[in-house]
Amino acid sequence: MAASRVKAFGNGTRYVEAGGWARTFAWLIDAIVVLFGLLMGVGALAALDDALHLGGGMLVLGMAVLLFGVPLLYGLCYTDGRALGALCTGTRLVRLRDGGRIGAKGPWAMVIRTVLLPLLIIAAIIGGTVDGSFVRTSIDVARTRDLPAASGVDGLPARTP
């Protein structure tokens, strides 16, 4: 394990930051799940439009609701910081302040990851720099658990020999 990936939360508890590939694959898996949900929602919206002849304004509204509603619903699975992407990559999204689970902000975190982050990247490419602050980070669950002083991290007790 690279010592450069060992960091400390705001409360001093150490953790191992997830690698760049793990973060990327976790995001990609979550984005694919959300995209699949959006496609299913668009199909349902098209069927509803075919049956009820909704106007163009209702279709636009339905698309906007889907764009934010699908990630919010998927984010309900994310309150412990482990949606499908994190489960597949062995990572967990935690609060940077103390390593605690993100809890009720999970749905909002999923919207940020799958909708707003791509928009932020596009804005940075077009307009230059984008400032912001981090309040969450992804940790490597297994390696954090193996740190000698990892006990005390919410949900990640140190293993006893």
Side-chain angles (χ1 to χ4, degrees):
M1 161 181 30
S4 62
R5 289 185 27 210
V6 176
K7 311 270 186 200
F9 294 117
N11 67 0
T13 305
R14 295 183 322 146
Y15 67 95
V16 178
E17 188 175 49
W21 286 110
R23 288 177 192 223
T24 301
F25 285 130
W27 175 84
L28 185 61
I29 292 166
D30 290 338
I32 289 170
V33 169
V34 168
L35 183 61
F36 180 73
L38 285 172
L39 290 174
M40 296 295 290
V42 167
L45 190 59
L48 191 63
D49 179 46
D50 190 39
L52 300 177
H53 304 292
L54 303 174
M58 288 300 289
L59 290 175
V60 170
L61 179 64
M63 293 299 291
V65 167
L66 284 174
L67 183 62
F68 288 96
V70 169
L72 283 170
L73 286 174
Y74 181 52
L76 291 173
C77 303
Y78 207 53
T79 57
D80 73 343
R82 299 197 84 185
L84 186 60
L87 286 172
C88 291
T89 58
T91 62
R92 173 178 283 142
L93 189 68
V94 296
R95 292 188 310 249
L96 200 52
R97 168 182 76 221
D98 60 1
R101 299 189 180 178
I102 57 177
K105 293 184 180 178
W108 176 243
M110 189 57 70
V111 170
I112 290 171
R113 286 174 58 91
T114 59
V115 176
L116 300 181
L117 181 63
L119 293 176
L120 181 69
I121 291 170
I122 292 168
I125 290 171
I126 292 172
T129 62
V130 177
D131 292 328
S133 63
F134 291 100
V135 294
R136 296 174 195 88
T137 190
S138 290
I139 63 170
D140 185 316
V141 174
R143 289 189 173 140
T144 298
R145 212 177 253 134
D146 288 340
L147 283 176
S151 62
V153 175
D154 185 18
L156 297 173
R159 290 186 180 159
T160 54

